[in-house]
Amino acid sequence: MIRVDDLIADLCELPTRVIVGKKKRKEFQKVDLLVRMDCEGCERRVRKALEDMKGVSSVEVDPKQNKVTVSGQVEAPEVVKRLRRRAGKKAEPWPYVPYEVVPHPYAPGAYDKKAPPGYVRNVLDDPDKAPLVRASSMEERYAAAFSDDNPNSCAVM
């Protein structure tokens, strides 16, 4: 006779796919990529390669900023792989954020000449990239003491 405890133990050891029978749906998300595009032909190739992809609901291509935004139930690595294979384009995640997000946008490491207007490099995620961007409160006070905006600043300068 089969005991209930043995049956439950056997069911727990089975892979979840056998029990459930369905794949988990991907979440709806926006994927922003940096793709170098020189002409309208490049833009058309990128758009066509991504619109045919399964799970994509919309594709926005901005050739001036070299930015491609894909909305749908897709993952970023899949989109990058598809662009490499179908359009022959190298793509990377969008490395820029609006300069209001970064505390010190013109510090070395954050400012990038190639960035679109109003954007700087996203250095907040990686602490080793630009230590000057994330100044501590003590460093902020020292910098404010010698600021031209501070009426009580040091007269030595």
Side-chain angles (χ1 to χ4, degrees):
M1 184 180 253
I2 299 175
R3 290 184 27 206
V4 175
D5 294 334
D6 293 336
L7 182 63
I8 291 174
D10 289 342
L11 287 176
C12 289
E13 291 175 5
L14 289 175
T16 57
R17 194 173 351 126
V18 173
I19 295 171
V20 176
K22 288 186 178 181
K23 288 185 180 179
K24 186 178 177 184
R25 286 184 59 183
K26 296 176 186 170
E27 292 183 21
F28 187 87
Q29 63 182 356
K30 263 176 121 173
V31 177
D32 293 329
L33 299 170
L34 175 68
V35 181
R36 303 277 182 228
M37 293 176 280
D38 301 325
C39 61
E40 292 177 11
C42 295
E43 179 184 349
R44 193 175 329 113
R45 243 187 316 170
V46 167
R47 183 182 305 276
K48 186 169 172 113
L50 294 176
E51 283 177 344
D52 296 340
M53 192 172 170
K54 184 178 178 182
V56 172
S57 61
S58 70
V59 177
E60 298 171 23
V61 180
D62 188 358
K64 286 186 179 180
Q65 292 185 350
N66 290 324
K67 184 176 182 179
V68 176
T69 304
V70 180
S71 300
Q73 296 171 340
V74 293
E75 299 289 329
E78 292 174 4
V79 176
V80 170
K81 186 177 176 183
R82 177 79 171 225
L83 276 175
R84 167 77 78 186
R85 213 177 49 235
R86 290 277 175 103
K89 293 289 183 180
K90 180 183 172 204
E92 62 185 59
W94 184 250
Y96 305 116
V97 294
Y99 69 86
E100 295 92 21
V101 175
V102 179
H104 301 285
Y106 297 107
Y111 183 72
D112 187 2
K113 290 181 183 178
K114 295 179 182 178
Y119 287 91
V120 293
R121 280 225 172 258
N122 187 5
V123 293
L124 297 176
D125 297 337
D126 189 7
D128 296 332
K129 274 191 177 175
L132 294 176
V133 174
R134 287 170 298 291
S136 67
S137 61
M138 184 62 82
E139 292 168 340
E140 289 281 341
R141 275 193 254 136
Y142 287 144
F146 294 100
S147 173
D148 291 337
D149 299 333
N150 185 0
N152 301 322
S153 66
C154 183
V156 174
M157 288 197 44

